[in-house]
Every structure is written in structure tokens, then in C-alpha cells.
Amino acid sequence: MPVSEHPGSNAPSLAHSFSSLRALLAAHSTRRQSRVYALSCLALGMLVAALWVYGGLVRDVTDFTRTLPHPQVQSSTVGQSKPSVITVTVTATPSPTPALDAWRHSSHSAAAIDNTGIPRKIWQIMLPKRVLQNQTWISDPAKLKDIPSWLALNPDYEYNLIGQDRGDRFVRQYFGDNPRILSTWEKMPNVGQKSDFLRYLILSVEGGVYSDTDTVALKPIDFWVPPHLKDRVRLVVGLEFDRRDGPMWADILHEVQFCQWTIAAAPGHPVFKKMISRILTSLDDLSALHQVPLESLKPTSKEVMNSTGPAAWTDVVFEQLQEYDPSLLEPKNLSYMNAPRLIGDIYVLTIDGFGMGQKHSGSTNDGTIPPAALVKHNFNGSWRGNKRGRDESSASEP
Ligand SMILES: *[C@@H]1O[C@H](CO)[C@@H](O)[C@H](O)[C@H]1NC(C)=O
Ligand SMILES: *[C@@H]1O[C@H](CO)[C@@H](O)[C@H](O)[C@H]1NC(C)=O
Ligand SMILES: *[C@@H]1O[C@H](CO)[C@@H](O)[C@H](O)[C@H]1NC(C)=O
Ligand SMILES: *[C@@H]1O[C@H](CO)[C@@H](O)[C@H](O)[C@H]1NC(C)=O
């Protein structure tokens, strides 16, 4: 029986075209035996090709998943989407002259503002731990290994890694007419403080999500705020410390402290103006206290935390919360939160939101990723510079 007469009408289209091909071959063949031989070779060849393509796909997907920094993320809600091609532009210190305007232009046009008022932009800062290699500042790739988690979960966000040059240009561009801010930025000797200062300046102008380079994204940013609250939220803050019934820590000034390793904000949120002003005041106070100019200041860990870091941030955020809800008397009022709270336009997350995996504060620390977790902070901390490492380690180990 000629192959073209096979009743294959209900077979898939691939099989159908395969039989058409075979029919074509059959028409050109005169002898039955050579037809059978040719068809066998063809079938074998297609089988080998199919296996090769399939094997390649499997290998690619395996490679992709292996490159994700934290495979357990995949089993959480975010891991269900299929890996797809992600195109990323990491802007690392563009060339000095025309880049400033180009960058400003692109950063204002590229990111759509979604209905949270929080623009689709991610900011990370990499100031220290660089080596000068043939006149070019570069970073250690190992320090950036958590960045793919941000890119993979937020492929439609504009991603910005800010190095020293771009940080300098940003401050000159937007705060060049403010001599106090400009000179404070230029004279600050401590890189941890500089990184702190820069994140507030950037969020105040641009908005978006700032996160330290040693954080791992666990949920797409679009899911951080529930849909019914999106049009009301203009700042998202998380806790790093909730004393609860535990002891007070020597280095932590508040019974409940907000973290500033991750912040999501709409541009121009009033909390940043307050924070910038707090930083200028605190640094003046420290200069006066130690009787040295700012550029010679060698702040202790506690002084860093209380001038640019989480203690200062907590004072300022709490002041803002009190404006919205005067019944809040002290940060302790936010202790034992078991669900996020919207206070004014500030969405306050529970400890697990940005602070899961810590051995205190009611943080989930059993190796699982709790449903409330949005970000994991690895507390690698060393990038914060000489005077900053201690608070990180003490915050992870009371
Ligand atoms: C740095 O420059 C030197 C000489 O100018 C050259 O031999 C060397 O290969 C350069 N190193 C890198 C990493 O480009
Ligand atoms: C923290 O800084 C504020 C503002 O500079 C200051 O009033 C306060 O006394 C400081 N707290 C500590 C414990 O140093
Ligand atoms: C805040 O805490 C104080 C006591 O520490 C309490 O008197 C006050 O009612 C609390 N306010 C709220 C809003 O929970
Ligand atoms: C950062 O901390 C995490 C978790 O504590 C650890 O697994 C990782 O190896 C650290 N990475 C670096 C570069 O120190």
C-alpha cells in the first residue's frame, strides 16, 4: 500500500506534513524496496534531530534555573512563570560628557508610572569595593550576584546600578543649586553614609524601588501592594527590628526600627525632604561634637545609624506617620504587627516583608520563605564600609 494513502487525517499537522513528504519521496521512487530504505533513513534522521533539539532545550532551561541565585524562590508563587528571554541594560558609569543629559532624558521617559504612583524603576548603589584597573573603576562581580533576582522578577522595570561617577552627576544635576547638599555629598568621608544619602536623594527626585545590592528579590514589585490599595500608596517601608519581649540592643535606638536597605517610593514624597534635612542637621551636630570638619569625621556605627541610617530614617518616617495618625505615640505602637498597615499614604510591612530570616523580631527563620516576604536581605554588609559592618552583624545576631 502506498504511504500517501495512509488514513492520517486525524493526526497532528506535523505528522501530516511528514506523510506529505513521504508521499513526495514515494512518487519519485520506482522500486518499493528503495522507498522503504529511504523512508527509514528519513525517519531515523528526524528522530535524531528531534532528540537533539529537545535535549538542547532542556539543557538551556536547566542552565537558566541554575543561574538563579536562590532556587527555592522558584517554588514560591513567583516561580510559576516560565523562564523567558530577558533583555537587560545595566548602565555602568557612562562616559562623562553627553551622558548626563542622555541619562536624564532616558530615565524620565523610559519608566511608566503605574497606578501606585511608584515608578517602574529599580535603583541599586555600588560605591565602595571598587578597584582601579587601568584608569577604570570596576566592581567585584561576586558582590553583584543577587542582582539577577531583581532583573528576573521585574523584566519591565528600568534597572539602574549607580556607581561613583553617576552618583556624582546625579547630585550635581539635581542638587547643584543647593550648596549644602552638594558640599555634604562631596565631603562625606564614609561610603556607607554616602550610599545612604544618595538613595534618599534619588528616591526624592525619581521615585521607584531602592534596594541594597545584597538583597534578593522574592516577589515581583508589582505584587508588593495589593491592587485595591495601589492608588493610595506612595511609600512602602518595612521593619528591620521589632523588640517585642526581647532585650533592648545596645546599637538600636528604637524598639521598632524601619529598614532602609529597601524602600519603594513615589517621587517627591515629603519624607525625603525631611530625611535630607535631618541628615544635614545630624552631620553638623556630629562635626560640632567631635570638633572636626565633615571631611575628617570618623563616625561610629551608632553615629552612622543615627545620622543617615535606619535610626534617623525611623525618626523621620515615624514623624510622617504621626502626621497622618496622631494617635501613634511611639514606634513601639507598630510592634507585633501581623499584617501590613496603610497609614496615610505609607504602607508599613510586617517584619517578614523586607526582614525575613532574622533570628529575632518575630521574623520567619525556619528556612522557608513566608508568604509575606518580598525581599531577603543577606546582610553581607561589608560594602557599607569600615564603620558600618557592625550594625549589620548585630542586627542578624542579637
Ligand atoms: C592595563 O594596561 C597595561 C599597559 O598599559 C596592559 O598591559 C594591561 O593588559 C592592561 N590591563 C587590562 C586589564 O586591560
Ligand atoms: C540621634 O540624632 C538626633 C539628631 O541629630 C539627636 O537629637 C539624638 O540625640 C541622637 N541620639 C543619640 C542616641 O545619639
Ligand atoms: C501607643 O502606645 C502607647 C503606650 O506605649 C499607648 O498609650 C497608645 O494608646 C498607643 N497608641 C496606639 C495608636 O496604639
Ligand atoms: C552573603 O550572605 C549569604 C547569606 O548569609 C551567604 O550565603 C553568601 O555566601 C554571602 N555572600 C557573600 C558574597 O559574602
Side-chain angles (χ1 to χ4, degrees):
M1 182 174 65
V3 271
S4 58
E5 287 170 22
H6 262 284
S9 54
N10 54 355
S13 59
L14 191 69
H16 181 73
S17 51
F18 185 27
S19 42
S20 309
L21 196 63
R22 287 188 293 179
L24 198 67
L25 263 172
H28 284 281
S29 182
T30 47
R31 283 179 302 154
R32 185 185 177 90
Q33 274 172 343
S34 68
R35 278 211 305 269
V36 169
Y37 180 72
L39 285 171
S40 304
C41 286
L42 184 65
L44 192 66
M46 289 188 79
L47 182 69
V48 168
L51 282 174
W52 183 76
V53 167
Y54 176 72
L57 280 177
V58 167
R59 197 176 52 243
D60 286 350
V61 171
T62 314
D63 285 351
F64 178 90
T65 54
R66 210 177 281 135
T67 60
L68 283 180
H70 294 266
Q72 70 268 31
V73 172
Q74 289 189 290
S75 61
S76 78
T77 53
V78 297
Q80 285 159 8
S81 58
K82 288 223 170 64
S84 57
V85 178
I86 295 166
T87 311
V88 177
T89 312
V90 176
T91 315
T93 51
S95 58
T97 20
L100 188 59
D101 279 338
W103 169 57
R104 185 170 72 129
H105 181 73
S106 73
S107 68
H108 279 274
S109 57
I113 292 184
D114 77 6
N115 59 357
T116 60
I118 296 173
R120 291 202 162 98
K121 302 180 187 187
I122 297 167
W123 303 92
Q124 299 198 292
I125 297 175
M126 194 75 201
L127 295 182
K129 296 289 168 193
R130 302 175 310 159
V131 284
L132 191 58
Q133 200 175 75
N134 286 9
Q135 321 270 301
T136 306
W137 290 104
I138 62 157
S139 299
D140 175 1
K143 300 284 174 199
L144 304 178
K145 70 171 179 45
D146 292 327
I147 290 179
S149 68
W150 288 96
L151 305 174
L153 296 192
N154 306 287
D156 291 323
Y157 277 59
E158 175 193 306
Y159 179 81
N160 302 273
L161 180 64
I162 308 293
Q164 183 70 50
D165 290 351
R166 202 171 151 191
D168 283 338
R169 285 203 303 281
F170 179 90
V171 179
R172 269 186 263 123
Q173 170 85 29
Y174 292 104
F175 299 94
D177 57 355
N178 187 321
R180 270 194 89 194
I181 292 179
L182 191 60
S183 77
T184 300
W185 166 256
E186 282 166 354
K187 290 176 183 168
M188 263 180 174
N190 179 298
V191 286
Q193 286 184 302
K194 268 201 165 188
S195 164
D196 287 343
F197 193 32
L198 187 56
R199 76 193 60 181
Y200 310 122
L201 295 176
I202 288 173
L203 290 178
S204 102
V205 172
E206 295 271 2
V209 171
Y210 168 81
S211 202
D212 282 1
T213 50
D214 61 348
T215 59
V216 179
L218 299 176
K219 272 197 184 148
I221 295 164
D222 285 345
F223 298 163
W224 286 13
V225 175
H228 69 286
L229 295 179
K230 278 201 173 187
D231 57 349
R232 293 163 66 187
V233 172
R234 293 179 60 78
L235 184 72
V236 181
V237 294
L239 304 186
E240 69 173 327
F241 179 65
D242 179 1
R243 179 188 171 191
R244 300 190 172 204
D245 300 324
M248 203 55 201
W249 292 3
D251 259 7
I252 294 202
L253 302 176
H254 301 93
E255 301 214 1
V256 168
Q257 191 155 283
F258 297 116
C259 72
Q260 35 85 276
W261 65 66
T262 305
I263 303 168
H269 194 283
V271 82
F272 296 110
K273 204 173 172 187
K274 292 190 173 87
M275 188 62 194
I276 291 163
S277 141
R278 160 64 182 262
I279 289 173
L280 300 179
T281 308
S282 286
L283 292 178
D284 280 352
D285 290 352
L286 287 177
S287 261
L289 178 70
H290 297 290
Q291 299 185 318
V292 292
L294 175 58
E295 56 269 37
S296 313
L297 203 60
K298 295 201 164 34
T300 63
S301 162
K302 202 167 179 170
E303 286 170 341
V304 170
M305 287 196 284
N306 193 37
S307 55
T308 60
W313 175 242
T314 299
D315 284 344
V316 167
V317 169
F318 194 73
E319 187 189 322
Q320 189 71 41
L321 291 171
Q322 279 181 310
E323 277 181 30
Y324 297 142
D325 179 358
S327 77
L328 291 168
L329 301 183
E330 47 180 350
K332 195 185 164 87
N333 283 130
L334 298 169
S335 193
Y336 285 105
M337 272 174 48
N338 52 20
R341 284 178 64 178
L342 178 65
I343 301 170
D345 61 4
I346 304 182
Y347 195 57
V348 184
L349 303 171
T350 59
I351 187 78
D352 275 341
F354 295 158
M356 66 154 288
Q358 301 184 86
K359 299 173 190 158
H360 55 82
S361 307
S363 172
T364 299
N365 189 32
D366 59 5
T368 65
I369 296 177
L374 309 179
V375 166
K376 182 175 192 315
H377 188 203
N378 275 335
F379 293 100
N380 295 118
S382 55
W383 66 272
R384 281 186 182 277
N386 49 343
K387 294 292 177 191
R388 192 62 190 276
R390 208 158 59 89
D391 60 308
E392 304 289 349
S393 46
S394 72
S396 55
E397 279 163 12

